[in-house]
Amino acid sequence: MSARLPLEHVRATVLTQAWAGAFATRLLADMGAEVIQVEALSRIDPWRGGYPPRLSGTYPDGDGGERPFDRNAAFNSVNTGKKGITLDLNYPEAKDILLDLVSASDIFAENFSARVLPNLGLEYPTLREANPTIILLRMGAYGSNGPYANFMGNGGAIEPMSGITSLLGYRGGPPMNSGVMHSDPFAGLMAMSAMMIALHHRSRAGRGQEIDLSQQETSIGLIADSVMRFSMSGAAPQRRGNFHLRMAPHANYPCRGGDEWVAIAARSDDEWARLCAVMGRPQLASDPRFRDLAGRLANVEALDEIVSEWTRARDKREIADALQSESIPAAAVLDATELSENPQLAERGFFQDIEHPQTGTFPYAGVGWKLSRSSAIRSRPAPTLGQHSRRVLTEHLGMAPVDVDDLWERGITGDTP
Amino acid sequence: MSALPDIRVMDLSTGVAGPFCAKLFADFGADVIKTEPPEGDPSRSFGPFPDDHPSPDASGMFHYLNANKIGVTLDIESERGRGLLAELCADADVVVETYAPGFMDSIGLGYDDLEAFSPGVVLISITPFGQTGPWRRLQATDLTLYAASGLSYVNGSPRREPLKEPGPESCFQAGASAFIGGMVALANRDMTGEGQHVDVSILESAASTFAPQFLGAMHSGQPVPRGSTPLLPCKDGFVSLNVRHDATWEYMWLFFDEPQLAQDLRFATAADRRRRSEEIEALLLPHLSRYTMEELFLGLAPLRLLIGMTMTMEGLLADPHLDERGFFERGPGGAAMPGAPFKMSETKWSLRRPAPSLGEHDDEVFGR
């Protein structure tokens, strides 16, 4: 195992904010890139605070303290490993500094609506003047062109705009947004994919390029099957809870205790027969209502009631263990605090303890891949606001400390809003 | 010009996660050979099918996941099949596989074997739980992985059972994670000359998307509750509507021609509005019922409100924005299919050939 991280040779200057964009550029930092996050003191990343608690996360002990913007779980979770500087881009000298950073970077990234970059005077031709091989990632809600390009969107808007929301809900019930916004992190994964493709091309051809990612479009990719099904048959999909066209049973069933559930999926008649045996009702396997998939789908409510009867008085983990011992897919539904105790994730070191100067030490979620020869992800805390302003401006750009002091006094850079 | 013409990929995977990873390589120009067992990849039976007529060469999902790939059949149970597979892998920069942990070793194609006859190879292994750990041999589906990842618990109504997301979402998350891991490994190879084994866990890919909520729970010691902000009914559907800033709050009431509500002291600050969200909903609903989703979206989004229309599949296919961006491509039977996941100015995504019929390129590949 080498101590080297794979992207140590890459530098990115990023204006990414909130979730999707910040997560994309966090993945760069995880893999070793130097990621310099630029915020303005007058307009800090909204994930440092300002949203309702459900979306903006929470402070340790419920206490924001003197610098709540440094203690927010939301911001701190998706900006690990980055450097943080502040620059008010409304000042021409700040814009010059940003372009100096661009000239020393491989990637420039942002996730604003399409009107923002032109308003800042930072369109691709300008960036390319500063750095002819720069890779520009733009990943607004609706992409860089088209009638909605200038509209702002967050996960709460993009999920419904991508069709996902129309498919999520209980039988006969209204459409629902998800409990977390799935459009954001998937857009982040796809944006990281795009940046890796662009880096590969640049290493071969010596050319940068502009990437236009629409979070609405990456989200539609998640429901490709429903889009195609509608297009082929004209049949509008129905909301049907956890119902699945090719598996039954297929649901989260109630267990002993309050709000405890177990997920069970039978992929074949054989798995259904084994499930019947585990439930102590082997005769159900030959019941004509349930003998084959078509029957189980047609009688799914009766089927779910039978399985629920068995699960209701039992412990969710014991049920999952009993079914897994018969090779039937099953898992306890874990809440966020139980997740930290998931033995599989623990054994593989998925969570990394990171010490943050303003919050202390907590476990942080890692990434979905492990590399056999490279180091694990870079585990450094998210930057506090403006933490690296002075260092980046003097060390990276060779500015005189007295000039940085001047910017600091004028509020163009600094560490307190 | 394509981005990855110098990359050769052997795709031994089936289902969704592995093929989606290899699809990203193929769609951006890599030379991808997909091997299938003689009976075909199970996704050939997933559909959807044109006119609902099942046919192994017309499955929408199979086509979506495997277009741009060359397709051959191989019986890896046979010695001849394994020999052919080893030959194909010897030429590969990347091998993508989704067999149970240990299987590739058992047929002499584990990472060490591959590395011996194809130095610098990147092996991407995608499994529900990863190659190691106490759960590595357990059975799983998208539903059970969502349950174990923490994502299901928060989804749905607090009074009802948790809901899985529509579509095989954890598989897409894992496929994208696998592609990133593979590309990062290739970038590392450019620097060191060494390949490596990329171990992708679908569970971990899903859990990685829960990072903000997870850290929030660690900060508070409390689980994230199940639920989401309710969507608001209007004339022809539902909209999501988030009034974040003071300015947008005012713009919204001006749009509804209720200027006095914009100044109402009961709702003066964001905190007031959060506390009185039920009163606000009651005030809003009569106004919303007079407008269609589109009228609200096109009226309020330019005023910088965060608003979304609850688009149906029909709505997506008719959406002028997606149409102008040319997002949808044509799949089996001319059906609409999601196109480029992102647009690249130099190295464009392209749909060059349909997914292979079963064994379509057997002669071409094994004859050469």
Side-chain angles (χ1 to χ4, degrees):
Chain A
M1 173 102 42
S2 122
R4 193 183 175 282
L5 285 156
L7 301 183
E8 278 180 14
H9 57 294
V10 173
R11 180 184 288 154
T13 296
V14 305
L15 308 182
T16 47
Q17 294 203 331
W19 191 355
F23 183 54
T25 54
R26 191 204 93 181
L27 296 174
L28 280 177
D30 285 344
M31 293 294 103
E34 181 182 41
V35 177
I36 301 170
Q37 155 109 6
V38 182
E39 297 170 76
L41 291 174
S42 58
R43 194 186 183 287
I44 62 175
D45 187 329
W47 267 35
R48 286 190 183 274
Y51 280 0
R54 185 176 177 85
L55 281 180
S56 71
T58 47
Y59 309 118
D61 307 320
D63 180 5
E66 280 177 25
R67 294 176 62 88
F69 41 85
D70 287 340
R71 286 168 58 81
N72 195 309
F75 179 87
N76 286 352
S77 69
V78 292
N79 290 286
T80 46
K82 299 181 189 175
K83 292 191 169 114
I85 72 167
T86 54
L87 277 178
D88 188 335
L89 296 172
N90 292 316
Y91 290 84
E93 52 267 62
K95 199 178 121 186
D96 289 344
I97 291 169
L98 185 82
L99 288 171
D100 284 346
L101 282 172
V102 168
S103 73
S105 297
D106 304 285
I107 293 171
F108 182 70
E110 58 95 9
N111 61 321
F112 298 115
S113 67
R115 63 183 187 85
V116 174
L117 223 50
N119 283 355
L120 291 171
L122 292 171
E123 285 161 295
Y124 190 51
T126 306
L127 299 167
R128 217 162 45 176
E129 258 173 53
N131 179 347
T133 64
I134 192 75
I135 293 164
L136 168 62
L137 168 68
R138 306 188 67 186
M139 52 179 299
Y142 304 108
S144 304
N145 69 345
Y148 309 161
N150 289 340
F151 298 164
M152 291 162 61
N154 61 352
I158 296 164
E159 270 197 350
M161 290 294 287
S162 70
I164 292 178
T165 301
S166 77
L167 303 173
L168 181 66
Y170 298 96
R171 181 192 296 269
M176 303 175 93
N177 269 356
S178 68
V180 300
M181 297 306 161
H182 297 240
S183 49
D184 280 270
F186 189 65
L189 288 168
M190 295 309 283
M192 176 64 175
S193 300
M195 290 189 285
M196 291 309 303
I197 292 169
L199 283 170
H200 183 91
H201 177 67
R202 204 180 71 145
S203 74
R204 301 297 188 271
R207 293 173 66 88
Q209 57 182 315
E210 181 174 356
I211 301 160
D212 167 18
L213 181 148
S214 151
Q215 297 180 42
Q216 180 192 30
E217 290 170 359
T218 52
S219 303
I220 295 169
L222 293 169
I223 54 163
D225 55 339
S226 295
V227 171
M228 286 187 280
R229 180 165 284 111
F230 174 79
S231 179
M232 286 173 177
S233 67
Q238 305 293 308
R239 286 179 289 279
R240 299 185 70 174
N242 290 308
F243 178 87
H244 195 286
L245 283 168
R246 296 185 307 277
M247 290 183 259
H250 186 274
N252 294 318
Y253 295 98
C255 300
R256 191 171 69 210
D259 201 22
E260 302 288 347
W261 310 85
V262 66
I264 301 174
R267 295 167 295 193
S268 63
D269 297 343
D270 222 40
E271 287 184 349
W272 163 241
R274 296 207 298 278
L275 172 60
C276 295
V278 175
M279 292 194 295
R281 300 182 66 178
Q283 71 286 1
L284 275 175
S286 50
D287 186 319
R289 288 177 301 164
F290 307 126
R291 208 162 36 205
D292 56 19
L293 177 65
R296 292 195 296 280
L297 291 176
N299 298 288
V300 72
E301 286 175 39
L303 180 76
D304 283 344
E305 190 43 45
I306 286 169
V307 179
S308 298
E309 267 170 42
W310 178 69
T311 58
R312 203 167 272 128
R314 291 175 167 78
D315 176 78
K316 62 182 178 182
R317 290 183 178 84
E318 286 171 19
I319 293 169
D321 289 348
L323 295 177
Q324 285 286 356
S325 71
E326 294 298 319
S327 295
I328 301 161
V333 175
L334 301 181
D335 70 31
T337 52
E338 292 170 319
L339 186 65
S340 66
E341 292 150 22
N342 178 315
Q344 175 69 9
L345 296 176
E347 165 117 356
R348 285 169 55 82
F350 174 72
F351 299 112
Q352 303 221 326
D353 281 336
I354 299 178
E355 185 184 352
H356 185 286
Q358 295 285 333
T359 62
T361 302
F362 287 98
Y364 286 65
V367 296
W369 63 90
K370 288 188 187 308
L371 303 174
S372 60
R373 277 216 173 92
S374 303
S375 296
I377 65 176
R378 169 177 287 160
S379 39
R380 284 201 306 239
T384 58
L385 184 64
Q387 183 182 351
H388 304 92
S389 292
R390 208 174 274 282
R391 211 169 93 203
V392 166
L393 297 184
T394 55
E395 290 178 14
H396 286 60
L397 301 181
M399 284 180 69
V402 60
D403 292 334
V404 178
D405 289 342
D406 178 56
L407 295 176
W408 206 282
E409 275 161 32
R410 294 160 63 202
I412 297 174
T413 188
D415 62 9
T416 307
Chain B
M1 191 189 309
S2 69
L4 308 173
D6 59 326
I7 303 298
R8 296 178 59 103
V9 179
M10 281 302 301
D11 177 12
L12 321 185
S13 68
T14 56
V16 177
F20 184 65
C21 165
K23 165 187 166 66
L24 289 170
F25 279 104
D27 289 357
F28 287 94
D31 179 4
V32 180
I33 300 178
K34 177 185 179 69
T35 66
E36 293 178 78
E39 71 276 15
D41 183 332
S43 70
R44 288 186 182 276
S45 69
F46 286 1
F49 300 103
D51 303 321
D52 267 343
H53 287 308
S55 149
D57 292 333
S59 160
M61 276 302 266
F62 182 82
H63 181 82
Y64 178 65
L65 295 166
N66 296 291
N68 288 338
K69 300 177 187 175
I70 300 283
V72 298
T73 49
L74 266 181
D75 179 8
I76 56 165
E77 304 296 328
S78 76
E79 202 153 316
R80 181 180 138 75
R82 291 178 188 185
L84 288 169
L85 187 58
E87 267 177 54
L88 290 170
C89 289
D91 285 340
D93 299 283
V94 176
V95 177
V96 183
E97 64 95 9
T98 49
Y99 292 108
F103 179 81
M104 291 288 280
D105 287 306
S106 76
I107 62 166
L109 286 174
Y111 176 69
D112 292 338
D113 306 307
L114 288 171
E115 168 67 19
F117 60 76
S118 181
V121 72
V122 171
L123 172 62
I124 303 175
S125 297
I126 308 169
T127 52
F129 301 104
Q131 302 291 304
T132 61
W135 289 11
R136 70 186 182 282
R137 302 209 182 282
L138 296 191
Q139 299 297 311
T141 69
D142 190 51
L143 175 80
T144 67
L145 289 163
Y146 252 74
S149 72
L151 287 163
S152 282
Y153 181 83
V154 298
N155 228 14
S157 157
R159 292 175 302 280
R160 300 267 318 252
E161 74 273 21
L163 292 178
K164 191 190 87 61
E165 280 289 293
E169 191 172 312
S170 69
C171 297
F172 287 121
Q173 291 163 338
S177 295
F179 178 73
I180 295 168
M183 289 298 295
V184 167
L186 288 172
N188 192 65
R189 187 177 78 166
D190 283 349
M191 308 298 285
T192 68
E194 290 181 320
Q196 48 193 321
H197 190 183
V198 183
D199 171 8
V200 178
S201 151
I202 303 177
L203 173 66
E204 288 167 8
S205 304
S208 77
T209 71
F210 195 52
Q213 294 75 18
F214 175 74
L215 184 60
M218 295 299 99
H219 277 186
S220 70
Q222 299 296 318
V224 182
R226 180 157 60 259
S228 56
T229 312
L231 299 156
L232 303 174
C234 63
K235 198 178 193 174
D236 64 343
F238 294 83
V239 292
S240 68
L241 188 57
N242 178 330
V243 186
R244 200 198 303 175
H245 300 298
D246 293 342
T248 53
W249 169 256
E250 190 177 332
Y251 297 154
M252 179 179 78
W253 289 118
L254 292 175
F255 175 82
F256 289 129
D257 205 16
E258 296 263 21
Q260 75 290 354
L261 277 171
Q263 308 303 331
D264 193 320
L265 288 176
R266 287 177 297 165
F267 311 118
T269 68
D272 293 329
R273 297 196 282 276
R274 201 172 302 149
R275 205 170 44 243
R276 296 176 182 271
S277 59
E278 283 179 20
E279 285 170 65
I280 293 172
E281 210 177 296
L283 290 167
L284 268 175
L285 290 179
H287 289 288
L288 296 177
S289 69
R290 287 200 291 275
Y291 295 92
T292 64
M293 292 193 292
E294 192 180 24
E295 286 163 354
L296 290 167
F297 182 74
L298 295 178
L300 294 173
L303 305 178
R304 305 187 63 192
L305 270 81
L306 293 167
I307 179 170
M309 303 182 268
T310 301
M311 303 268 248
T312 59
M313 300 306 102
E314 189 176 11
L316 290 178
L317 297 182
D319 185 59
H321 178 74
L322 293 167
D323 183 54
E324 180 161 328
R325 285 175 58 81
F327 176 61
F328 290 109
E329 297 283 337
R330 295 284 150 206
M337 180 177 84
F342 37 81
K343 295 176 161 61
M344 304 187 74
S345 60
E346 289 270 316
T347 56
K348 295 192 191 328
W349 181 95
S350 65
L351 192 58
R352 303 182 299 283
R353 60 163 83 227
S357 58
L358 188 59
E360 180 176 341
H361 303 98
D362 281 355
D363 292 344
E364 187 184 319
V365 171
F366 298 133
R368 76 188 176 191

